[in-house]
Amino acid sequence: MSITIGVDIGGSHISSAAVESENFKIIPGTYFSGAVNSKASKDVIIKKWGEIINKTIKEIDTNQTIGIAFSMPGPFQYETGIAMFKDNDKYESLYNICISEELLKHLIVKDVSFRFLNDASCFGVGSSLIQESLFVKEKIIAITLGTGFGASFLNERLPITTGNTVPHNGCLWDKPFKASIGDNYFSTRWFLGQYEKYTGEKLKDGVKEIASIQNEYTSIIFEEFANNVSDFLFPFLVEFDADLLVLGGNIARCHQLFLPKITQNLKIKNVNLPIIIIENTEETSIIGSTYLFNEVFWEKIKEELPYF
């Protein structure tokens, strides 16, 4: 398929766009996004997803089979398209629902093929695609820093989820760090918690708000964050022998406040590799998801789609 639709599902939004498979660029006029209540009923959520995707469909040639690829958070059965959201405070009404079957009821076209991949993996694949003109790298670790902590390990664009050089399932959010797990240190709630601990003040707008304040406490918090990131990622970077580290997510937009320290810390540990910041995380994930309709890539990955 020369044109496919990529869909990025977030905890509170859906974004959809058509992507030109030859140059991995979003086709102008096809990008649409909308807010989604992840605690709503199944019908409300699926109807909203269909509404946004239909906007994209209306902007492309529908006289051929349309491929729709999802950048989807877990837990999810990526091979079957069945949602497994349970006890994770989002989209729980979709538990054990086949997304492709339900969504097709709300689309304005019926000749559709669906494919699914983990959102962190889609971001990693998209990162490798859009950076191709600047970097020819074999091994990439891509992480997203936002409401949650996502990660993917890629070797020549293929997400690696098994083997001795990557953590279990190719995930980092659940790996031990200090008194807890990575997700509790590399997400928005950690920043908000640290700011409240130092100042006694509760903020609501997240990391961007903390960065805009620029007082002595924000400097301390961002330095702590940089040290934590360096210490946590160091063994994974070494074990995977990474050629490139990619950072995305809302927190990455404040990279000027922590990236120099991360780079310095890694150099002290004799880890010297380029670090790329990608601010348009959603668009990158959309581009990465549509690569599922590259048949060579699909044949390599479909038997190893994570089941979690």
Side-chain angles (χ1 to χ4, degrees), residues 221-291:
I221 291 169
F222 277 102
E223 183 168 355
E224 285 181 358
F225 178 74
N227 291 335
N228 287 339
V229 169
S230 307
D231 292 342
F232 179 81
L233 287 183
F234 170 70
F236 300 106
L237 292 168
V238 173
E239 192 69 29
F240 191 59
D241 192 22
D243 298 304
L244 175 68
L245 175 63
V246 179
L247 307 182
N250 289 331
I251 295 174
R253 294 174 178 171
C254 302
H255 60 89
Q256 69 278 4
L257 298 176
F258 62 82
L259 184 57
K261 183 65 174 178
I262 291 176
T263 302
Q264 178 185 356
N265 289 345
L266 290 177
K267 284 184 178 180
I268 292 173
K269 298 174 183 289
N270 293 318
V271 174
N272 295 283
L273 82 169
I275 302 176
I276 302 299
I277 302 295
I278 294 182
E279 296 189 5
N280 55 342
T281 304
E282 291 177 22
E283 292 90 337
T284 302
S285 296
I286 284 173
I287 291 170
S289 71
T290 62
Y291 202 57

Side-chain angles (χ1 to χ4, degrees), residues 41-54:
S41 68
K42 176 196 72 173
D43 290 338
V44 169
I45 292 172
I46 297 294
K47 181 179 179 181
K48 183 63 178 182
W49 287 2
E51 173 188 319
I52 297 300
I53 296 170
N54 281 333

Side-chain angles (χ1 to χ4, degrees), residues 10-305:
S12 60
H13 81 277
I14 174 176
S15 299
S16 172
V19 176
E20 175 56 61
S21 60
E22 297 300 321
N23 57 18
F24 311 118
K25 292 185 182 297
I26 290 176
I27 298 172
T30 68
Y31 178 88
F32 297 93
S33 185
V36 180
N37 179 6
S38 64
K39 299 182 184 298
S41 68
K42 176 196 72 173
D43 290 338
V44 169
I45 292 172
I46 297 294
K47 181 179 179 181
K48 183 63 178 182
W49 287 2
E51 173 188 319
I52 297 300
I53 296 170
N54 281 333
K55 290 182 178 181
T56 297
I57 292 174
K58 291 177 181 178
E59 300 299 323
I60 65 175
D61 177 15
T62 57
N63 293 320
Q64 56 183 322
T65 300
I66 296 176
I68 301 181
F70 279 80
S71 167
M72 182 73 75
F76 197 87
Q77 293 181 11
Y78 293 96
E79 183 177 2
T80 62
I82 296 176
M84 301 302 294
F85 304 117
K86 189 177 182 181
D87 300 327
N88 61 346
D89 203 36
K90 65 181 180 184
Y91 299 123
E92 291 180 306
S93 63
L94 302 181
Y95 179 74
N96 211 28
I97 296 297
C98 180
I99 299 303
S100 54
E101 290 181 3
E102 290 297 320
L103 184 59
L104 195 58
K105 300 174 184 177
H106 296 273
L107 296 182
I108 58 177
V109 293
K110 304 304 177 184
D111 190 6
V112 178
S113 177
F114 295 94
R115 291 177 182 176
F116 302 86
L117 186 63
N118 176 263
D119 54 350
S121 295
C122 286
F123 173 72
V125 173
S127 300
S128 69
L129 292 172
I130 66 176
Q131 296 294 333
E132 183 69 19
S133 60
L134 297 177
F135 294 91
V136 181
K137 299 294 180 182
E138 291 187 352
K139 294 184 176 181
I140 298 175
I141 296 179
I143 65 175
T144 53
L145 304 162
T147 54
F149 176 40
S152 58
F153 294 72
L154 298 101
N155 189 352
E156 296 182 348
R157 292 183 181 162
L158 287 173
I160 308 299
T161 59
T162 59
N164 296 330
T165 63
V166 298
H168 179 64
N169 276 337
C171 294
L172 291 177
W173 70 271
D174 57 346
K175 301 307 179 284
F177 184 64
K178 291 190 173 181
S180 185
I181 58 175
D183 201 56
N184 291 328
Y185 288 88
F186 309 115
S187 56
T188 300
R189 64 183 176 279
W190 179 85
F191 278 89
L192 296 176
Q194 290 298 99
Y195 193 83
E196 183 178 358
K197 183 181 80 171
Y198 284 123
T199 68
E201 182 181 357
K202 289 187 176 182
L203 301 179
K204 296 182 179 179
D205 293 337
V207 178
K208 183 178 179 181
E209 182 179 9
I210 295 175
S212 68
I213 296 172
Q214 293 187 352
N215 57 27
E216 59 179 307
Y217 301 112
T218 63
S219 299
I220 292 172
I221 291 169
F222 277 102
E223 183 168 355
E224 285 181 358
F225 178 74
N227 291 335
N228 287 339
V229 169
S230 307
D231 292 342
F232 179 81
L233 287 183
F234 170 70
F236 300 106
L237 292 168
V238 173
E239 192 69 29
F240 191 59
D241 192 22
D243 298 304
L244 175 68
L245 175 63
V246 179
L247 307 182
N250 289 331
I251 295 174
R253 294 174 178 171
C254 302
H255 60 89
Q256 69 278 4
L257 298 176
F258 62 82
L259 184 57
K261 183 65 174 178
I262 291 176
T263 302
Q264 178 185 356
N265 289 345
L266 290 177
K267 284 184 178 180
I268 292 173
K269 298 174 183 289
N270 293 318
V271 174
N272 295 283
L273 82 169
I275 302 176
I276 302 299
I277 302 295
I278 294 182
E279 296 189 5
N280 55 342
T281 304
E282 291 177 22
E283 292 90 337
T284 302
S285 296
I286 284 173
I287 291 170
S289 71
T290 62
Y291 202 57
L292 288 170
F293 284 95
N294 177 299
E295 295 306 325
V296 175
F297 178 80
W298 179 245
E299 286 300 317
K300 291 179 180 179
I301 196 176
K302 68 179 182 179
E303 300 300 331
E304 298 185 15
L305 289 175

